[in-house]
Amino acid sequence: YLLNKEYSKAKAAFNDVPSSSKSYAWAQYGAAIAAARDGNAADVAASLKNAVDADATLKAKALSDLEFKSFKSQVEAAVK
């Protein structure tokens, strides 16, 4: 869905991954990318917070990822 610019469907699919799954952190990171492409700052922050809470190694990636270039303050707040 993400590559077809169907961002709402992409976010829904990423959010369907249970938090107990090994893929959860990356699914939340993907949801954040979908939210960024859709221009939804609140969802960018929420999804990145979930991703970083599940896998702290994603913090550095989120801070440098060009997908989030327009959402710098939301990213910084989410990865604190």
Side-chain angles (χ1 to χ4, degrees):
Y1 297 117
L2 188 62
L3 297 177
N4 290 328
K5 299 181 181 180
E6 296 180 52
Y7 304 126
S8 293
K9 288 182 181 179
K11 286 187 285 185
F14 286 127
N15 286 325
D16 280 345
V17 175
S19 60
S20 60
S21 170
K22 289 182 182 181
S23 303
Y24 178 74
W26 281 105
Q28 288 300 298
Y29 197 90
I33 290 172
R37 291 184 183 181
D38 200 27
N40 188 326
D43 283 354
V44 168
S47 294
L48 279 179
K49 180 172 181 355
N50 291 339
V52 171
D53 286 350
D55 182 351
T57 65
L58 293 176
K59 179 179 179 176
K61 180 169 180 54
L63 289 169
S64 64
D65 196 325
L66 293 178
E67 291 282 358
F68 308 124
K69 180 179 169 184
S70 299
F71 302 95
K72 184 177 179 179
S73 63
Q74 289 85 359
V75 172
E76 289 173 349
V79 301
K80 279 186 178 180

